[in-house]
């Protein structure tokens, strides 16, 4: 592996190699819960699991390019310490288990590039989410690629190249948590943390056949940012199973003393073992206003319709409905662009930013202040309008496609203007972002594949603080559909 931006504490940053030949697939890596069980039973060691993850990452990097930085030396030292603690009888939920986090997440000793080009010094402290993962015993093996400032549903850029989908390397795994999704789908790590400001966990989960949870705002701290992207962005897990995603959510959840949002705790892992009961589920095909007139691709519609039929067969009442989204997009744009402007303004070399980022920075600067405050003030009314689907109409869950299209080809967004990028992105991904405006939870579940073998997903969306219901329903679907049995060619 070639070196770039080496750090004495943690080893080299990860760069893609030119050779993209596929490597033979090793035996599947155990999932998160299974890894924890094997360690607790002394069936394996943390050093073995971490070394295996690092070897898989190295082998897949020329093909998938999922990681920006590895912590090889530090992770192996932490694994050795975890083995000593396990041998002494200590037990924690993730003690000795390897996991990855996204490039927007502070890990002490590594720079936080957030998909950007240029030099950044290593940060000196972990983010609150990483601190909690470590407190649960997890070993952070590295940081996964993200597009620049998390803006787009693809993970490509001049700083690191293109991250590729393990189901078909000609296609994107999505974004902005595309590196985390590719790493988990390919079996490089058992699970990974992503972040979701407009679908950035759910979209790559849909396009890589994973479970991706966007939790309630504040469920997982975004500290050192107190209100990331004007309250749009939350951290959430990506995993191959509901139980693994729930376990990672339980480990990462919790507030920092400075956090603005503090929802009451949930027990996600308990919910994954619970019968959801008989639910009323609204199926919505029409996306919010996107100015594109886009609806779901026929193959996406077919897959989500089949999943709705499965829910009905499992005893739920499923019927089509139309949420009253109103003009929610007019409040999303100021918040999103103001958030980009806040992050972009911190970049030490603005000339290295993508021209589309600089365009968003200008827009966000114009729409900041009074306009963004007015946009945020409308959230209470949006809760009432859209929440009427649950409160007045009596539905428990909203089901929609996660995306309108299967994963695009690598390079689809190259050389597009800022406007054309936004329009193309809105046409492909019109369904996810309203729940970021509301701050409410949602889960992507695998919905199947196109005829050419590309994964697509469906969203289970709920009202405020409804993660446990959504997780229980997702687990029931998983028991029936057993989507975790399907693995990509690179795994």
């Amino acid at each position: 592996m070639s070196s770039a931006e080496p750090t004495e504490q943690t080893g080299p940053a990860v760069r893609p190699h030119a050779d993209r030949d596929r490597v033979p697939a090793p035996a599947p890596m155990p999932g998160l819960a299974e890894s924890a069980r094997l360690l607790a039973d002394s069936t394996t060691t943390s050093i073995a699991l971490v070394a295996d993850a690092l070897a898989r990452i190295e082998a897949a990097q020329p093909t998938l390019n999922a990681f920006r930085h590895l912590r090889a030396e530090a992770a192996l030292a932490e694994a050795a310490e975890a083995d000593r603690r396990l041998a002494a009888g200590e037990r924690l939920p993730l003690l000795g288990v390897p996991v990855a986090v996204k490039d927007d997440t502070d890990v002490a000793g590594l720079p936080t590039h957030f998909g950007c080009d240029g030099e950044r010094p290593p940060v000196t402290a972990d983010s609150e989410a990483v601190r909690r993962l470590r407190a649960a015993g997890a070993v952070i093996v590295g940081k996964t690629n993200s597009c620049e400032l998390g803006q787009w549903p693809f993970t490509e850029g001049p700083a690191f190249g293109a991250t590729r989908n393990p189901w078909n390397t000609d296609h994107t795994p999505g974004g902005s948590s595309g590196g985390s999704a590719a790493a988990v789908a390919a079996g490089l790590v058992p699970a990974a943390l992503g972040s979701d400001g407009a679908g950035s966990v759910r979209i790559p989960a849909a396009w890589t056949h994973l479970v991706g949870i966007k939790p309630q705002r504040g469920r997982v701290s975004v500290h050192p940012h107190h209100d990331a992207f004007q309250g749009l962005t939350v951290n959430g897990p990506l995993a191959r199973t509901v139980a693994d995603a729930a376990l990672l959510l339980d480990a990462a959840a919790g507030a920092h003393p400075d956090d603005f949002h503090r929802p009451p705790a949930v027990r996600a892992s308990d919910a994954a073992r619970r019968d959801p009961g008989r639910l009323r589920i609204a199926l919505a095909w029409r996306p919010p206003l996107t100015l594109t007139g886009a609806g779901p691709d026929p193959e996406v519609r077919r897959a989500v319709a089949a999943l709705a039929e499965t829910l009905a067969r499992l005893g739920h009442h499923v019927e089509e409905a139309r949420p009253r989204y109103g003009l929610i997009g007019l409040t999303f744009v100021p918040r999103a662009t103001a958030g980009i402007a806040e992050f972009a303004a911190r970049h030490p070399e603005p000339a290295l930013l993508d021209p589309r980022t600089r365009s968003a920075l200008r827009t966000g600067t114009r729409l900041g202040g009074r306009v963004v405050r007015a946009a945020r003030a409308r959230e209470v009314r949006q809760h009432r309008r859209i929440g009427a689907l649950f409160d007045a109409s009596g539905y428990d869950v909203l089901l929609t496609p996660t995306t309108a299209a299967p994963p695009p080809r690598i390079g689809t967004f190259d050389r597009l203007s800022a406007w054309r990028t936004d329009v193309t992105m809105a046409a492909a991904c019109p369904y996810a972002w309203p729940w970021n405006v509301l701050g409410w939870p949602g889960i992507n579940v695998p919905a199947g594949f196109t005829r050419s073998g590309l994964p697509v997903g469906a969203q289970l969306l709920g009202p405020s603080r409804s993660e446990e219901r959504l997780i229980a329903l997702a687990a029931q679907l998983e028991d029936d559909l057993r989507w975790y049995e399907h693995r990509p060619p690179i795994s």
Side-chain angles (χ1 to χ4, degrees):
M1 180 173 294
S2 60
S3 297
E5 301 174 287
T7 64
E8 182 177 350
Q9 300 148 292
T10 56
V14 179
R15 293 291 192 190
H17 297 258
D19 179 14
R20 288 183 50 231
D21 292 338
R22 291 188 175 184
V23 296
M29 170 172 269
L32 197 72
E34 177 68 4
S35 295
R37 185 190 66 78
L38 292 171
L39 287 166
D41 292 348
S42 301
T43 304
T44 189
T45 65
S46 180
I47 283 182
L49 289 179
V50 170
D52 183 33
L54 292 168
R56 290 168 186 264
I57 293 165
E58 292 268 11
Q61 189 67 10
T63 308
L64 298 183
N65 184 27
F67 279 79
R68 184 78 183 260
H69 294 279
L70 282 184
R71 303 180 65 249
E73 184 178 344
L76 287 169
E78 291 165 14
E81 176 61 21
D83 284 332
R84 286 191 286 273
R85 294 164 68 184
L86 286 160
E90 185 175 354
R91 295 295 180 265
L92 292 169
L94 296 178
L95 184 53
V97 180
V99 300
V101 300
K102 186 178 174 180
D103 187 32
D104 63 345
T105 306
D106 284 358
V107 176
L110 292 179
T112 300
H113 284 101
F114 203 173
C116 296
D117 206 349
E119 302 295 324
R120 289 289 184 96
V123 301
T124 57
D126 290 332
S127 67
E128 179 65 15
V130 168
R131 188 193 71 78
R132 288 179 177 272
L133 288 175
R134 290 191 196 273
V139 177
I140 311 298
V141 296
K143 297 180 69 171
T144 57
N145 277 323
S146 164
C147 64
E148 192 169 285
L149 303 185
Q151 301 167 80
W152 305 304
F154 55 90
T155 302
E156 303 164 42
F160 58 88
T163 297
R164 296 176 180 273
N165 195 319
W167 292 92
N168 184 326
T169 55
D170 291 332
H171 292 257
T172 181
S176 61
S177 304
S180 288
V184 176
L188 311 184
V189 289
L193 197 67
S195 62
D196 190 314
S200 288
V201 163
R202 289 162 290 156
I203 291 165
W207 285 347
T208 58
H209 197 66
L210 297 177
V211 176
I213 301 178
K214 175 218 172 297
Q216 178 77 21
R217 184 184 298 150
R219 178 75 60 216
V220 180
S221 177
V222 293
H223 185 82
H225 313 292
H226 306 309
D227 199 36
F229 284 83
Q230 293 293 325
L232 297 177
T233 295
V234 299
N235 292 322
L238 294 112
R240 295 187 61 247
T241 69
V242 176
D244 284 355
L247 178 57
L248 193 64
L249 179 59
D250 279 338
H256 184 274
D258 294 336
D259 284 349
F260 294 160
H261 309 287
R262 295 169 171 273
V266 296
R267 299 172 66 91
S269 293
D270 288 350
R273 297 186 287 268
R274 188 182 306 151
D275 188 315
R278 187 173 186 270
L279 303 177
R280 293 193 71 226
I281 299 173
L283 170 61
W285 296 111
R286 184 178 179 181
L289 177 66
T290 61
L291 305 179
T292 66
D297 177 276
E299 292 203 86
V300 172
R301 188 178 180 109
R302 172 185 56 79
V304 176
L307 190 136
E309 291 173 2
T310 299
L311 287 166
R313 176 171 54 78
L314 291 171
H316 303 290
H317 177 81
V318 182
E319 64 184 22
E320 293 191 17
R322 294 178 66 172
R324 294 178 57 236
Y325 291 111
L327 298 178
I328 193 171
L330 298 182
T331 63
F332 172 76
V333 171
R335 293 171 69 169
T337 56
I340 292 168
E342 290 163 4
F343 276 83
R346 303 186 189 113
H347 197 285
E349 300 176 85
L352 294 177
L353 293 171
D354 190 295
R356 294 169 290 189
T357 301
R358 298 199 297 271
S359 174
L361 189 159
R362 292 190 293 270
T363 301
T365 301
R366 288 195 302 270
L367 297 180
R370 183 173 59 84
V371 176
V372 80
R373 286 195 298 271
R376 297 204 65 170
R378 294 187 62 85
E379 189 177 304
V380 173
R381 279 175 283 177
Q382 290 159 346
H383 285 165
R384 287 198 297 266
R385 181 191 302 113
I386 300 172
L389 182 80
F390 306 105
D391 299 329
S393 299
Y395 293 107
D396 299 299
V397 173
L398 172 64
L399 170 67
T400 79
T402 302
T403 68
R409 285 184 171 271
I410 296 287
T412 294
F413 295 86
D414 286 356
R415 294 178 294 280
L416 295 182
S417 67
W419 171 251
R420 290 305 309 167
T421 297
D422 288 345
V423 170
T424 305
M425 176 171 63
C429 303
Y431 291 103
W433 57 268
W435 249 243
N436 296 87
V437 175
L438 300 171
W440 294 349
I443 300 179
N444 174 80
V445 295
F449 299 86
T450 67
R451 290 179 178 84
S452 60
L454 294 172
V456 295
Q459 289 186 110
L460 306 174
L461 302 171
S464 181
R465 304 173 181 177
S466 59
E467 287 102 323
E468 291 189 1
R469 177 189 301 158
L470 300 177
I471 289 168
L473 180 60
Q476 184 188 50
L477 270 171
E478 180 179 270
D479 285 344
D480 187 82
L481 297 176
R482 303 178 69 83
W483 52 61
Y484 51 83
E485 294 179 348
H486 300 279
R487 293 181 178 270
I490 301 177
S491 65

